Amino acid sequence: MLIKRKHTKYLLPALMIFAVSCTKSFLDINTDPNNPTKLEVSKLLPLIERNIGDGLAMGSSTGGISQVLSAYMHQQSTREEQDSYGARGTNFFIGVAWPTLYENVLANLEQVIRDATAAKNYRYAGISKVLKAYTASQLVDIFGDIPFSEANQLKTGIRYPKFDDDAAIYPQLITLLDAGIADLNNPAANISVPGSDDVIYGGSVAKWTKAANTIKLKLLVQMRKVKDVKADITALLADPTKLINATNESFLIPYGPNGATDDRNPGYQDYTASQRSTHVSPWFYGILKGYNPTILTGNPDPRLPFYIYNQLTKTKAPDGQTEYRDSAFVSIYFGSGGPDRDRSQQNSVSLFGIYPVGGRYDDGAGGVASTTSGTGAAPYRLITYADRLFLEAELIKDGVIPGNAKTKLSDAVTEAFKQVDYVVTAFVKPTQSVPAVYNAAATSAMSRYITSMLAEYDAKPTQQLQMIMTQKWLSSVGSSVDQYTDYRRTGFPVLFDPNNPAMAPGGRVQPPINGDPVGNPGAQPSVPVTLSRPFPLSLPWYQLELETNPNAPAQKTPSTYKVFWMP
């Protein structure tokens, strides 16, 4: 029966119709009569949905592509090769994401679409077409040209799929979304309809239709700088109720607590890891704290204890000398060459918290992270209602649609606060006491934060798009693919650059002078940082695919290879 691909490189489900050429050696394996070669669509669907999350999420040992991209987007810092933009085609996490999304997701989606259509189970077919369009779009956004038209076509004799031009794939995805919407709303007989096996929306036709339209909006926004899509965007937004229009309509992959199987968010792995290698980026932390000198200065974000959990208390001694400490927060820099970069901080390093990965809410008490620190049941967020509002704020700001960008930004950030509470209460369900972060009272921390942010928005007209994209980046912590896309097409948010003399004068960056109350009270030293690689405009293709597929291109140069929608 189908199994989920984890660590073993070539252990593949019996039913999968393989997309990559390295599977040719499996074609001669005899059929095992003791194992089924076909599963009902109702059993395939939840596995597919879960594997989309696994392929895209971050996680220190079995996570997907966000483990690389969260470092590239400066929400995570690490000692691994994605530090300083160094991920190659042999990178472990690229080697997890590519096969997971092709073999465990797209191949099985093709099977569901065929079987469901033949059986007139149109809702399953519609859901699968929406998921196929979304997954393929994420692959295009990350890699550019990918196998698409010839992928998963072994039944037609195609063993080595060509790589399609990325610009030619996007229109097919919009057509596929329309086909999915038509199937979802097909009044013809549905022999079987999804229910609890659809772990995203429980089979809701209305919510799936809204998700499909919102995915379409996102794709149109992403390619708007290379194609005139204003009319299409205007038509989609003519009736906002046809898109994701409420917090509980957000497009999420749920994860569960550890039970008979370990269903926790892959990003929760650092709570149980014997060697913690994921660090929360000081750049990300500094913006949340209000330390950044150019944006949100002096405006601390009330979501910080939901985003980051500190194992230390304010005055507790760490495992060893730290590189960056600010009270209880401990981390390392991107591109660090400092003497304390590689010191073990197993029980000291700060971790992603309750909102991104289902970890612990930071109540200031500290404590070594463990398997019982949280539930790990935070969802992977594909597209939220807040994301939709941020897209509209961007469109208004750039004059694509009418409206008030400031008002829409306020709505988006307010919704982002609501979303934190929704994830905590509806999904994570912590055992500790966690306060609400959304509070509309004028004196609340949320209201003060948003009021200050909007005042800054008015005061800095040349930085208004930066404000919109920075807030979207803050809201989407833990889900880094769209962050990476947004940065490459808009140039925002501003990222840490060791070569920028304003950020690292003389190649050194200064942690908070008085941030270390234990090891260096009053004199935390500066840290040398370097960067010799330019920012990657796409990720390298999975090297094993290139080596085994004679129709694959030569490996790209990521710093010069643009995805088609880049201006």
Side-chain angles (χ1 to χ4, degrees):
M1 63 185 296
L2 272 174
I3 56 175
K4 179 180 177 295
R5 184 185 185 278
K6 281 271 190 183
H7 298 288
T8 308
K9 183 179 292 186
Y10 297 109
L11 185 60
L12 302 173
L15 180 59
M16 290 184 177
I17 309 301
F18 305 128
V20 292
S21 62
C22 60
T23 59
K24 64 179 182 177
S25 60
F26 292 94
L27 300 179
D28 297 326
I29 294 178
N30 294 326
T31 301
D32 183 352
N34 296 316
N35 289 308
T37 59
K38 189 172 184 179
L39 285 181
E40 297 94 333
V41 293
S42 61
K43 291 184 171 61
L44 271 177
L45 182 60
L47 293 174
I48 291 167
E49 291 175 337
R50 166 66 183 270
N51 278 312
I52 292 173
D54 289 353
L56 298 176
M58 63 181 182
S60 59
S61 59
T62 60
I65 205 64
S66 283
Q67 187 68 9
V68 174
L69 296 181
S70 61
Y72 283 16
M73 291 309 299
H74 294 264
Q75 291 190 335
Q76 177 188 152
S77 50
T78 179
R79 303 183 186 103
E80 298 169 336
E81 69 174 1
Q82 53 265 31
D83 181 50
S84 300
Y85 309 133
R88 297 166 292 176
T90 54
N91 178 274
F92 173 81
F93 299 102
I94 293 176
V96 168
W98 183 281
T100 296
L101 296 175
Y102 267 108
E103 298 166 10
N104 294 14
V105 175
L106 291 174
N108 281 341
L109 284 172
E110 290 296 327
Q111 187 70 41
V112 173
I113 291 169
R114 283 194 295 267
D115 291 350
T117 302
K120 298 184 179 180
N121 291 330
Y122 295 115
R123 290 186 192 174
Y124 280 103
I127 289 171
S128 297
K129 289 176 182 178
V130 174
L131 290 174
K132 177 182 176 181
Y134 178 82
T135 303
S137 73
Q138 294 279 277
L139 285 164
V140 169
D141 295 342
I142 297 165
F143 296 105
D145 294 353
I146 58 166
F148 183 71
S149 61
E150 294 183 352
N152 309 311
Q153 299 298 317
L154 280 177
K155 287 189 175 181
T156 64
I158 298 175
R159 299 172 65 182
Y160 304 112
K162 68 177 182 179
F163 279 54
D164 293 283
D165 179 71
D166 54 356
I169 296 173
Y170 252 48
Q172 298 176 66
L173 302 183
I174 291 175
T175 299
L176 188 60
L177 288 167
D178 288 336
I181 292 171
D183 279 347
L184 284 163
N185 294 277
N186 191 332
N190 279 279
I191 295 174
S192 176
V193 296
S196 60
D197 53 311
D198 169 20
V199 299
I200 297 177
Y201 286 133
S204 170
V205 170
K207 288 183 178 179
W208 272 108
T209 301
K210 291 183 176 190
N213 282 326
T214 309
I215 295 168
K216 191 188 306 184
L217 174 66
K218 185 174 83 77
L219 299 186
L220 292 170
V221 172
Q222 288 173 186
M223 61 179 172
R224 69 182 178 85
K225 293 189 176 182
V226 297
K227 183 179 180 181
D228 184 2
V229 293
K230 182 176 181 178
D232 297 315
I233 289 173
T234 302
L236 267 178
L237 292 173
D239 184 358
T241 64
K242 292 183 178 179
L243 292 90
I244 293 172
N245 202 46
T247 312
N248 65 0
E249 293 176 353
S250 293
F251 190 32
L252 313 171
I253 304 291
Y255 283 92
N258 191 23
T261 58
D262 188 350
D263 295 328
R264 293 173 294 189
N265 186 300
Y268 188 73
Q269 292 161 357
D270 267 318
Y271 279 74
T272 61
S274 58
Q275 184 176 354
R276 296 185 175 111
S277 59
T278 297
H279 297 69
V280 180
S281 167
W283 183 255
F284 176 61
Y285 169 80
I287 291 178
L288 289 169
K289 287 288 289 185
Y291 292 165
N292 190 286
T294 62
I295 192 169
L296 298 170
T297 309
N299 190 14
D301 195 318
R303 293 169 291 186
L304 192 150
F306 295 83
Y307 284 6
I308 301 170
Y309 172 65
N310 299 311
Q311 296 187 91
L312 296 183
T313 60
K314 294 179 179 180
T315 57
K316 183 176 176 58
D319 294 343
Q321 182 56 51
T322 58
E323 174 167 289
Y324 182 106
R325 181 166 183 177
D326 185 42
S327 185
F329 179 79
V330 172
S331 189
I332 60 174
Y333 279 108
F334 175 90
S336 170
D340 300 316
R341 170 187 182 268
D342 295 328
R343 294 185 190 275
S344 173
Q345 296 292 347
Q346 176 71 6
N347 298 326
S348 305
V349 65
S350 297
L351 307 174
F352 286 105
I354 191 169
Y355 178 62
V357 303
R360 191 164 181 82
Y361 169 78
D362 190 74
D363 56 11
V368 175
S370 70
T371 187
T372 60
S373 295
T375 67
Y380 181 83
R381 288 159 279 122
L382 305 175
I383 304 178
T384 66
Y385 179 37
D387 292 333
R388 188 208 117 184
L389 295 173
F390 282 121
L391 288 170
E392 291 185 58
E394 175 193 341
L395 291 170
I396 295 169
K397 172 58 188 169
D398 277 5
V400 180
I401 60 173
N404 186 308
K406 177 183 173 182
T407 299
K408 192 64 69 173
L409 171 61
S410 178
D411 291 344
V413 177
T414 301
E415 172 57 28
F417 274 77
K418 289 181 180 179
Q419 180 179 281
V420 172
D421 289 344
Y422 175 62
V423 165
V424 170
T425 58
F427 293 91
V428 179
K429 300 177 181 177
T431 57
Q432 70 177 134
S433 178
V434 178
V437 70
Y438 171 79
N439 187 331
T443 57
S444 72
M446 182 196 84
S447 294
R448 292 196 302 270
Y449 176 80
I450 293 176
T451 298
S452 178
M453 176 203 68
L454 295 176
E456 183 178 359
Y457 181 89
D458 285 336
K460 299 177 178 178
T462 61
Q463 291 180 260
Q464 289 176 348
L465 182 60
Q466 179 186 355
M467 183 72 73
I468 292 168
M469 303 312 297
T470 300
Q471 284 295 341
K472 188 180 180 186
W473 173 77
L474 290 170
S475 173
S476 58
V477 56
S479 304
S480 295
V481 177
D482 289 350
Q483 296 174 358
Y484 183 53
T485 295
D486 288 343
Y487 176 75
R488 288 173 293 160
R489 65 185 184 81
T490 71
F492 298 115
V494 173
L495 304 177
F496 175 64
D497 181 3
N499 294 329
N500 184 327
M503 297 179 184
R508 302 187 74 89
V509 62
Q510 179 63 58
I513 291 290
N514 298 312
D516 185 353
V518 178
N520 290 289
Q524 193 163 203
S526 65
V527 178
V529 288
T530 60
L531 179 61
S532 60
R533 304 181 188 92
F535 187 86
L537 304 181
S538 62
L539 291 193
W541 291 300
Y542 181 37
Q543 189 63 33
L544 185 59
E545 172 70 14
L546 305 188
E547 292 172 356
T548 55
N549 182 353
N551 291 326
Q555 185 61 273
K556 67 177 75 167
T557 302
S559 62
T560 59
Y561 182 101
K562 286 186 175 183
V563 179
F564 81 96
W565 38 250
M566 291 184 65

